[in-house]
Amino acid sequence: MAEPRRTRVPLIADVDTGIDDSLALLYLMASPEAELLAITCTAGNVAARQVAKNNLAWLELCDYADVEVALGAEVPIVQPLVTTEETHGPQGIGYAELPEPTRPLSSRHATEVWIDNARRRPGEITGLITGPLTNLALAVKLEPELPLLLKRIVIMGGAFNHPGNTRPTTEWNIAVDPDAAKIVFDAFSVVPEDRRPVVCALDVTERIVMTPAHIAELAEVAGSTPAEVVSPDDEPGTRSTASNPVVRHLSDAVRFYMEFHRAYDQGGFIAHMHDPFAAAVALDPSLATTRAATVDLELAGTLTRGQTVADWRGMWGRGPNADIVVDTDPDEFFRRTIERVGALARSIA
Ligand code: BDR
Ligand code: CA
């Protein structure tokens, strides 16, 4: 698949960093067309303040521009917060131990950052959300015009014709705050066809399978030594000795994720790179084949609360409010990731 000409994409990323969120941030930092306006932090994989710390630390490690990092919701809208350190490690970045960030957090709340940017550049900004939808839902409550002020949003979340990864029918980001997801899908029902939310659900993101070979290739592009070998036979918790700091920390983070996937019967010693895929789609929607549907949330089910339900055939008599990703080329995604993030890492060494 040929890459289209790169035009600048002004972007706000809302994340719950998170191992795969980390690679999503690296992908954005490594992409010259990404005009990263702000990163907003939500509680999810780990507590929101830890998310903020992780984001600042990755930015600083990569010597990236002084992007505003704003704290957002520390708890979901209705239900209590549940985090998932067993998936992402005690700090949310697996075995990586990033240097303490020295950059300060923004004094603004995440919702203010979303609303202010969107008002200043109506119709221009793409929103990428790779965590629970809490911040965006709160922002929509404060500024109901937000869906029309943004160019488009790309969401990592949900499971449609696919099992959940948190409960049998529920994906993690939605499970953490299903009420927020309901608010967002309802609010974005008003946007025109060419601005419908793009939804990267487990149906496709579980096909974005990172293997140890991808890490080795990325390290090679980065010029890191010695060859980066992350082996299923290594002692759990083995640490990288890579000369390149970005490679070293990324490898330590992803190793934890691979151990998690193996331990929880998620396909072996691999890692599903949900969030970086959504980041790549936010920069280049042509990477994804989508199908329009009307998406709503199950909030009442005793077993299915947080299930994303897609009406593909208009049975509810409501127009589509989402473009669900139904296909992609995972090899092309990894080609871009290795090339871009490898080059970013090389520039840091
Ligand atoms: C999503 O859940 C989180 O654990 C990941 O970071 C990703 O955003 C996948 O279900
Ligand atoms: Ca995430």
Side-chain angles (χ1 to χ4, degrees), residues 227-309:
E228 186 63 10
V229 181
V230 177
S231 165
D233 301 327
D234 292 340
E235 270 299 301
T238 300
R239 300 303 162 89
S240 168
T241 57
S243 60
N244 183 287
V246 175
V247 170
R248 190 166 65 249
H249 294 304
L250 178 64
S251 178
D252 283 345
V254 174
R255 177 189 291 277
F256 188 99
Y257 215 24
M258 289 182 170
E259 289 176 6
F260 161 80
H261 281 75
R262 180 174 57 187
Y264 286 79
D265 205 12
Q266 305 257 319
F269 196 68
I270 54 95
H272 294 136
M273 283 299 165
H274 315 274
D275 296 346
F277 173 69
V281 170
L283 294 184
D284 176 13
S286 77
L287 196 55
T289 305
T290 60
R291 186 173 163 199
T294 313
V295 173
D296 210 333
L297 265 292
E298 177 56 81
L299 296 180
T302 50
L303 299 174
T304 55
R305 180 168 152 79
Q307 179 175 354
T308 43
V309 182

Side-chain angles (χ1 to χ4, degrees), residues 15-18 20-21 45 88 130-131 172-173 275:
V15 294
D16 66 335
T17 318
D20 56 332
D21 304 77
N45 290 324
H88 292 270
T130 65
W172 170 261
N173 287 337
D275 296 346

Side-chain angles (χ1 to χ4, degrees), residues 101-220:
T102 59
R103 295 183 188 184
L105 257 184
S106 171
S107 57
R108 307 200 290 176
H109 189 272
T111 50
E112 194 188 337
V113 171
W114 275 89
I115 294 166
D116 179 53
N117 277 290
R119 282 182 183 153
R120 279 195 297 113
R121 297 178 69 171
E124 286 183 35
I125 297 173
T126 296
L128 167 69
I129 304 97
T130 65
L133 288 155
T134 320
N135 286 336
L136 189 58
L138 292 173
V140 164
K141 287 277 178 207
L142 292 169
E143 173 48 285
E145 291 295 305
L146 190 60
L148 296 167
L149 289 171
L150 292 167
K151 181 176 182 197
R152 196 157 212 186
I153 57 170
V154 176
I155 296 170
M156 191 284 127
F160 295 95
N161 299 324
H162 197 87
N165 62 355
T166 303
R167 289 192 286 275
T169 59
T170 311
E171 181 277 333
W172 170 261
N173 287 337
I174 306 292
V176 172
D177 197 344
D179 303 280
K182 166 80 176 157
I183 291 169
V184 168
F185 280 106
D186 284 356
F188 278 78
S189 298
V190 300
V191 302
E193 197 176 317
D194 59 344
R195 294 190 175 193
R196 276 184 208 131
V198 176
V199 184
C200 306
L202 296 181
D203 309 52
V204 162
T205 64
E206 287 198 353
R207 288 176 48 206
I208 311 297
V209 176
M210 186 176 234
T211 65
H214 290 126
I215 301 186
E217 279 177 57
L218 193 154
E220 201 181 325

Side-chain angles (χ1 to χ4, degrees), residues 71-92:
L71 190 65
E74 297 195 63
V75 288
I77 290 181
V78 175
Q79 65 189 35
L81 175 65
V82 183
T83 55
T84 185
E85 283 78 3
E86 74 278 14
T87 312
H88 292 270
Q91 269 92 45

